[in-house]
Amino acid sequence: MARLERKSVDRGTPQSIVGRDTGPAEVEQQYRAAAYGILAALLRSAPSQELLEQVGGFAGIDDAADEMALSMSLLGLAAARCSADSIGEEFHGLFIGLGRGELLPYGSYYLTGFLMEKSLGDLRDDLRRLGFAREADVHEPEDHIAALFEVMAMLIQAGGSHATQEAFFAAHIDSWVQRFFTDMAAAGSAVFYKAVARFGNAFMGIEKRYFTAES
């Protein structure tokens, strides 16, 4: 998928929130960035055993609190119970296949029914404005869901303004991503990725409420 790197940030380069003394608000931002990062890693490529072990730690979360906690606990259980090989085969069936997988994880496809449409051009304009560039050895479109989640994680970590995060989320993620996760949950090849879809949908719901509450 389209890996992106950040050449600059709007209005300077704020320090990363990671590794500093943090208050409750900064802890919340770290959790948001971590959730985006985990989803990006799970959707970018078949997860490594190391990543599955990390996600498997979610199994110990108290799942009685809310849907987000429950979805994390179920994702952790799925990561602990499924082998890396079986998840690799599942990933191939969902996203690669013979010719193409069951799912096309691209914004332009969900927004227009086609790849490489105007929405991709709009995204590229926004990425340039925000200082992001596609890595030189990557040729896949930037509207891959994992790339978009990586952008959100980097915006949060770099202290991007609330308005900048909200605008990017509304324009390039919220407009289609829950339909994508719904399709993933219903896909015939999905086993482990049903849990990923539930976690993704739960987190997207929290993000929508976050931006609404802070507006």
Side-chain angles (χ1 to χ4, degrees), residues 91-102:
F91 185 92
H92 187 277
L94 285 171
F95 301 113
I96 301 172
L98 297 174
R100 57 160 283 186
E102 286 189 64

Side-chain angles (χ1 to χ4, degrees), residues 96-180:
I96 301 172
L98 297 174
R100 57 160 283 186
E102 286 189 64
L103 301 175
L104 287 173
Y106 302 98
S108 59
Y109 176 78
Y110 272 85
L111 293 172
T112 70
F114 301 94
L115 298 175
M116 308 291 285
E117 289 295 309
K118 180 179 181 298
S119 59
L120 177 58
D122 294 340
L123 169 64
R124 286 172 171 167
D125 289 342
D126 283 346
L127 290 173
R128 281 192 293 270
R129 179 176 59 81
L130 292 170
F132 288 95
R134 185 166 58 182
E135 292 183 357
D137 60 344
V138 174
H139 304 288
E140 198 164 1
E142 295 91 332
D143 60 348
H144 190 290
I145 187 59
L148 298 176
F149 283 170
E150 286 173 348
V151 170
M152 284 297 298
M154 285 188 278
L155 287 175
I156 296 165
Q157 291 169 339
S161 72
H162 178 88
T164 296
Q165 294 179 38
E166 183 177 18
F168 189 88
F169 179 83
H172 305 299
I173 296 176
D174 187 38
S175 51
W176 66 279
V177 73
Q178 287 188 294
R179 283 185 288 148
F180 166 71

